[in-house]
Amino acid sequence: MQRIALHTRLKPGKEGEYDTVHRVIPAELDSALRAAGVRSWRIWRDGRDLFHLVEVEDYQRMRHELRDHPANVPWQARMAELLEVEDDYSGADSGLRLVWELP
């Protein structure tokens, strides 16, 4: 199991809308995430900064499986309206580099 940390940033003024959209994600997206190996996805927000912690079997495989998934494509389009930098699930993103951990 991999633990992947991510950082994203909201466009100015989109904080409340982002919180509202994430109150309940679509059931088909939930199913797609789980089928792609996601065990947990938590998001913290500090102002416009978002910090994600993803527990997933294989992060690169998950991104590959979700890139063109019919449940993820409209979700990412919606997120693109809210985030400064949209994620089209291309490339080899590997999350933030772990610097230190209390064992």
Side-chain angles (χ1 to χ4, degrees):
M1 188 66 59
Q2 296 177 301
R3 286 183 307 162
I4 305 294
L6 306 168
H7 173 251
T8 54
R9 187 164 175 83
L10 294 170
K11 293 177 181 175
K14 296 296 185 176
E15 299 88 345
E17 189 175 351
Y18 184 87
D19 291 355
T20 299
V21 168
H22 276 81
R23 284 195 185 117
V24 178
I25 67 166
E28 57 274 6
L29 179 60
D30 182 291
S31 295
L33 289 166
R34 292 176 193 279
V38 176
R39 296 294 172 249
S40 173
W41 195 315
R42 294 177 178 93
I43 304 171
W44 291 264
R45 184 173 66 76
D46 181 22
R48 292 174 42 218
D49 291 298
L50 302 166
F51 302 94
H52 310 244
L53 180 60
V54 184
E55 294 179 356
V56 60
E57 292 170 8
D58 181 328
Y59 183 66
Q60 291 300 317
R61 181 176 58 82
M62 182 264 311
R63 289 179 59 80
H64 176 75
E65 288 181 19
L66 292 176
R67 182 177 52 234
D68 298 317
H69 194 286
N72 191 47
V73 171
W75 180 259
Q76 292 307 319
R78 179 69 174 110
M79 292 302 101
E81 297 171 0
L82 305 174
L83 298 173
E84 279 191 348
V85 178
E86 69 179 272
D87 185 358
D88 64 0
Y89 277 60
S90 64
D93 172 60
S94 60
L96 300 173
R97 184 177 64 85
L98 178 64
V99 176
W100 182 84
E101 180 176 7
L102 179 67

